[in-house]
Amino acid sequence: MTTIRLPATLRQPPAVGWLGLFPALLISVLLYLPTLGYSWNADDYLFLTGRDLSQVLDLFVPGRGIVSFFYRPITWISYVADFDLWGANPSGWHLSSMLLNLICCALVWWFVYLLRGVLTASLAAMLFAVHPAHPGAVTWIAGRADIPAMIFTLLCLIAFGFYLRQHRLGYYLLTLFTLALAVLAKEVALVVPALLLLTDLLFFPQPQWQQGRWRPFLLAKLRLHLPFLLLGGGYLLLRLWFSSANISSFGYGLNLDTRIFGNLASYIAMLLSFANVERMDAALVLVLLGSFVIISLILARWAGRLAWFGLAWLVITLIPVANITAYDPATRYVYPLSIGFAIFLTAVLQQLFASTIAGFVSASPNQEEANGSSPLQAAKPHSQYSLRSGLTAALLALLIGYGSWATAVHNEEWRIGADTASNFIAQLKVAVPDVAPHSQFFFVNIPIAYKRAWILNEGLPAAIHLAYSDSSLHVYDDFVYRYSSFAAAIQQPATVPTYYFGYTNGILTRYHDAAELLAHRASPR
C-alpha cells in the first residue's frame, strides 16, 4: 500500500497550496451569508434563557431526563459563548454557525490534501461546501452539534496521519485528545476509531501484512488502536449507564425492522440531494437502496482506494443515525455522512479526469509519430479526449451548480420557518399584550414545520416565556407526543388566567373556552 502524501515540511501545505481552499470557502460564505438575516427556529428559543458553563457538569447527572441523553458539552460551550457574545441577536448566532462550517470545510480540504494533494482536496472541499443537506446543521442554530463533532473528528484524523508518518508521541496524544473532544461534541463521533483504522489500513504501508506475518500485524494494530477503542467504548458504556432508558426510547439498538430500512433510504435520498424527502413505500425503498449499493460499489471499484475510503466513511457514519427511530429523518444528520460522500464523488471525478488525461497522453502527436502516424491522423483522438475533458468539467460544474441551488432552496425553507415563528409570536402579543404570572396557554394546530425546516415544536414554551419575560407561564399544545399532558390539563378547572388559541393558514385565532378550542382542533399530527 502507498503511504499518505504529506508535504515535504510535514507541517502544513505550502502557501500556494492553500489557495486551493479558497473556492470552497468563497462558495460557503456566499451560500450562508443570507442566513445572517434569519430569525429563530423551534429549539433555538431554548438557548435564549441564559446558559453558563456550570451547566456543562450539571447536565451529567442521573435523573435529568432527556437532557442527560444529549450530553454534548463542547457544543453547549459554543452556545454559552454565543449567548455571552450576542445575547438575543440571531445574526451573531448564525455567524458562529457559518464560521464553524467554514472551519469544517477547511479541515475537509486539509485532510484530503494529506491523502491526495491540492487538486483532489479542492474538489472534495467544494463538493462538501455545496451539499444541500447542510442547512439543517448550519442554518438551524439548534442543529449545530454535528459541526463541532466533525471539526474534531477531522482534526483527530489529521493528527493521526502525522503520527503514522513521524511516530511522535505528541501527535498520538493529540489524536486521543481530539477524539475525546469529538465525542463530547456529539455521540456520532463514537465511530471515529473505525475511521482511524480505515485511514491506517488504506493509506499507510503494511509490511507485515504484505509479508504474510499475521500475528505481528494483528498485535501491532491492536497496540496502536486499542486506546482509541477503549476511549470510545468506555464513554459509550458510561453514557449507557447514565441514559439507558432514554437511549432505548430513541430506538437505538440495531432495530432490524422496516423503519430502519426506510431511514436508510431517506438518508441516501438526502445524500443524493433530492429536493424533498417524504416517506417512501417499501418498493421504492428497495429500489433506492439496491440501486445505490450496486452503483456505488461499481464506481468505487473503478475509482480506487480514495473512493472506497469515502464510501466506507459514508456507511460507518450512516449506521448510528439510521437507528434513530423516535424522529423522522432530518437533514442535519447528513452532515457527517456528506464528508465521505464528497470524498467518494471526488475520487470518481478524479478517476474520470485521470482516465481522460491518460488517454489524451497516450494519443499525443509525438506518440502517434513514434508509431508511424501523422499529426493529422492524431487529431481525431485529441478531439475525442478534449470532449471527454469538457464533459468531466461540465459534470463538476453541474454538481456544484445544483448543490448551490438546492442549498439555497433549503436555506429558504428555514427562513420561511423562522418568519412564521416570529409572526406567530407577534400575533400572540397583539392578542394578549400582557399576562399575569402563572397564566395558562392552550394551543392547537401550532405551526410545527415548513417542509424540511422546523418552526416551533419544542421551542414553543420557551418562545412564549421570552415573549412575556415570564418563565412561570404554563404552555400546552396538542402535538402528538405531548397530547396526553395537553388533554389532562385542559380538562382541569381553570384557577388562573387561561388563554385558548388555534392556528390556521397563518392566522392565530383566540377562542373563548376549551370546548370552542377543541371544536376547531385539526386531526392529530
Side-chain angles (χ1 to χ4, degrees), residues 419-431:
D419 289 349
T420 302
S422 298
N423 181 261
F424 179 94
I425 299 301
Q427 291 187 62
L428 179 63
K429 288 287 289 182
V430 170

Side-chain angles (χ1 to χ4, degrees), residues 22 36 44 86 146 186 191 196 220 226 228 254 262 264 295 410 457 468 470 519:
F22 179 76
L36 301 186
D44 294 348
W86 314 114
D146 287 290
K186 190 179 179 182
V191 303
L196 293 171
L226 183 60
F228 309 131
L254 295 177
L264 287 169
I295 294 173
H410 196 8
N457 197 8
Y468 292 102
D470 187 349

